[in-house]
Amino acid sequence: MCERVLCFDFGASGGRAVLSGFDIERNIITAEEVHRFKNRGISVNGTLYWDILALYNEIKTGLVKAHKAGGFSSVGIDTWGVDYGIIDENGFLIGNPIQYRDSRTKGMTALSDKLIGNDRLYELTGTQIMEINTAFQLLAEKQLRPYALENGEAMLNIPDLLAYMLTGNISSELSIASTTQLLDPVKKEWSDEVISELGLPRRLFHDVVASGQSKGFLSNELCEELNIPTAEVIAVCGHDTQCAFYGAPCSGEHNIIISTGTWALVGTVLDKPVASQKAAQLALTNESGADGTVDLLKNITGLWLIQETKAFLESRGKEYTFAQLEAAARECADFTAYFDPDAPQFSAAGDMPSRIKEYCKATGQPVPETISEIMRTIYLSLAMKFRYAIEQIKELTETADEVYDIYMVGGGIRDELLCSLTADVSGCTVYTGPIEATVTGNALIQLIKNGSIPDRSMRRQILENTCLARNERRVFAPSVDYSAQYERFKEIIER
């Protein structure tokens, strides 16, 4: 009999608790959402914090609701990457975790370059050099909150911190550790050289556990408080990106996965990291995935562009649904203008349409004036940037002549125009689903651990069946040749 598992999936703006199981007759993953909540960051005197106690309280609410909905045998937690909390020797949390968007890390990559050399840092970790990374946040701690490091006994990334609150046990899950810029991706353990050269206390970094291993059981105190039975907490891929990649039903040897949401993660699954100087120059990152794999990834600004355009229009009294914006983009299929989604002017909230117009004017292109033209420009630019990332990945893996299939997962696959343009621009066949890839990957790891799914080789077929059962599988074959337009796009963004 299949045991149901409880998946907690946290994003930067909200989270949910989902009961999942394995339907052996239909060979699919089932999902029942039992709790949904907001994640409200808090700004205090210019510093951006996460309200970790509120998030923990939402977990407790989810545990109670899941128990009343039929119970569960284990719990898995995935969240965003890089952020953390520090525990002291008595087990107390030293302050609320600070958000990765906080400005305290400004200048920390320059400091690390003096301490260890950022070329060496990438060589040792395979992680893209970004000021938001845990290593640079800890350098900021040394300057602004040295007492946190002096009195700390454990640095725990957010999923590990929440698991500690549930169990009282301390450990670091592999995939979330690989977002820190402190992990050796080959040995799959903390890099003593990086930690030493950056001047960080080695005692902060505890045992690294792979996905599927135990983090302990819900504490007796918690179970008594909530009046629920205990359950095992499983180290699923703590980084939500890796859960999403594990939830993609790839087949064959050469595949690209695009996880679509506010961010778009474009990557491929490998047996070993690619930490060459060329990979560093191209700003690709290596993350440890489930089953001992490494995912070579490119982080791209994703549906944020559409979300912010919609929000700005609403602020001006113009109400659009996402479906209406997609339809608007279809109305001017002949309009072509491009921008780099990752250009810095598009990272902040605000008047996205005006920024797009200014970019196009400055680069000597037709300027989109109507909502239809603006939306068409966004869609084309995203599809072009996906191809740009795919070609970089193929170059680094020496597979430029191979034919790849693309598996698109996440909420963005509801947008069929984005999927079809991705197929056309890339020249690759696109397969969609599942929408809830992160929760599905989280559940898969737990269901394999408890024996409900006895063989890992069943994973792809189960995921295929799940996509079909949920009516999420679409296949988009390339039908338009965008080669000439792509060369123009490259010329514009590489100036």
Side-chain angles (χ1 to χ4, degrees), residues 16 18 47 142 160 180 311 449 451 460:
R16 58 259 178 87
V18 178
T47 298
K142 285 179 63 178
D160 300 321
T180 63
K449 172 68 164 59
R460 192 194 71 79

Side-chain angles (χ1 to χ4, degrees), residues 7-11 16 18 20 29 76-80 236-248 259-261 265 409-411 433-446 463 470 472:
C7 308
F8 284 99
D9 174 36
F10 288 82
R16 58 259 178 87
V18 178
S20 289
I29 301 293
I77 303 170
D78 66 76
T79 78
W80 65 96
V236 300
C237 288
H239 193 205
D240 51 10
T241 297
Q242 294 311 312
C243 276
F245 270 49
Y246 200 61
S259 179
T260 57
L265 289 304
V409 302
I435 291 173
E436 300 292 353
T438 303
V439 168
T440 303
N442 183 322
L444 269 169
I445 293 168
Q446 295 188 70
L463 289 168
R470 297 175 183 173
E472 296 173 357

Side-chain angles (χ1 to χ4, degrees), residues 66-282:
H67 172 62
K68 292 180 178 179
F72 50 92
S73 65
S74 64
V75 177
I77 303 170
D78 66 76
T79 78
W80 65 96
V82 306
D83 290 336
Y84 61 89
I86 296 177
I87 303 297
D88 71 14
E89 63 180 352
N90 296 313
F92 293 106
L93 178 64
I94 303 177
N96 272 314
I98 298 176
Q99 294 187 33
Y100 62 87
R101 291 187 185 274
D102 185 76
S103 61
R104 67 184 177 140
T105 56
K106 186 176 182 180
M108 291 302 108
T109 56
L111 176 58
S112 76
D113 199 28
K114 294 179 180 178
L115 294 173
I116 187 173
N118 287 342
D119 288 345
R120 178 61 174 164
L121 184 58
Y122 186 89
E123 180 185 352
L124 290 169
T125 65
T127 304
Q128 180 185 357
I129 306 293
M130 295 190 295
E131 284 189 334
I132 66 173
N133 292 346
T134 312
F136 306 122
Q137 293 196 48
L138 290 170
L139 284 180
E141 297 274 18
K142 285 179 63 178
Q143 294 191 351
L144 302 174
R145 295 200 310 170
Y147 58 85
L149 301 188
E150 294 165 2
N151 295 313
E153 288 295 324
M155 185 284 297
L156 296 175
N157 290 108
I158 299 299
D160 300 321
L161 177 60
L162 292 169
Y164 162 74
M165 291 177 170
L166 292 174
T167 67
N169 295 336
I170 289 175
S171 64
S172 295
E173 187 277 324
L174 179 61
S175 74
I176 202 74
S178 70
T179 71
T180 63
Q181 199 113 49
L182 296 162
L183 188 85
D184 182 325
V186 177
K187 296 180 179 178
K188 301 186 187 304
E189 59 188 37
W190 299 115
S191 170
D192 287 333
E193 180 177 340
V194 172
I195 292 169
S196 174
E197 292 300 314
L198 294 181
L200 304 175
R202 182 61 179 83
R203 67 179 182 278
L204 292 176
F205 305 96
H206 289 249
D207 293 343
V208 176
V209 299
S211 62
Q213 295 188 24
S214 177
K215 279 183 160 289
F217 287 78
L218 301 178
S219 68
N220 292 334
E221 294 82 2
L222 178 65
C223 293
E224 289 177 6
E225 175 193 349
L226 303 181
N227 193 28
I228 62 173
T230 193
E232 191 171 16
V233 178
I234 303 299
V236 300
C237 288
H239 193 205
D240 51 10
T241 297
Q242 294 311 312
C243 276
F245 270 49
Y246 200 61
C250 298
S251 63
E253 184 178 359
H254 300 296
N255 299 294
I256 292 291
I257 301 171
I258 303 178
S259 179
T260 57
T262 301
W263 288 88
L265 289 304
V266 180
T268 194
V269 180
L270 304 173
D271 294 327
K272 58 184 179 180
V274 178
S276 63
Q277 186 177 14
K278 183 66 173 178
Q281 292 171 350
L282 296 177

Side-chain angles (χ1 to χ4, degrees), residues 317-473:
K318 300 175 182 178
E319 299 288 336
Y320 289 91
T321 65
F322 287 113
Q324 287 172 332
L325 291 175
E326 179 187 359
R330 293 181 183 274
E331 293 174 359
C332 57
D334 294 334
F335 186 84
T336 55
Y338 316 104
F339 64 93
D340 184 351
D342 295 316
Q345 59 264 46
F346 303 115
S347 64
D351 186 353
M352 202 65 71
S354 290
R355 295 173 195 167
I356 292 170
K357 293 177 184 180
E358 291 167 3
Y359 186 104
C360 293
K361 182 178 180 180
T363 52
Q365 302 181 81
V367 177
E369 298 293 348
T370 68
I371 296 301
S372 292
E373 291 172 347
I374 289 167
M375 293 307 302
R376 184 73 183 180
T377 302
I378 291 174
Y379 277 102
L380 273 177
S381 299
L382 284 173
M384 292 286 176
K385 195 62 184 283
F386 292 168
R387 176 172 172 176
Y388 194 72
I390 291 167
E391 292 195 348
Q392 290 179 338
I393 289 169
K394 292 174 75 172
E395 177 186 356
L396 290 171
T397 55
E398 299 180 347
T399 58
D401 296 329
E402 301 293 340
V403 176
Y404 274 67
D405 289 328
I406 297 175
Y407 289 81
M408 292 184 71
V409 302
I413 68 171
R414 294 186 180 95
D415 195 323
E416 293 196 358
L417 178 58
L418 180 61
C419 299
S420 63
L421 278 174
T422 298
D424 288 340
V425 171
S426 68
C428 302
T429 300
V430 169
Y431 301 86
T432 66
I435 291 173
E436 300 292 353
T438 303
V439 168
T440 303
N442 183 322
L444 269 169
I445 293 168
Q446 295 188 70
L447 292 166
I448 291 170
K449 172 68 164 59
N450 70 23
S452 295
I453 298 174
D455 189 341
R456 282 178 167 80
S457 66
M458 299 171 62
R459 179 173 71 93
R460 192 194 71 79
Q461 191 58 58
I462 290 170
L463 289 168
E464 285 282 349
N465 294 342
T466 300
C467 290
L468 291 171
R470 297 175 183 173
N471 196 30
E472 296 173 357
R473 168 49 52 84

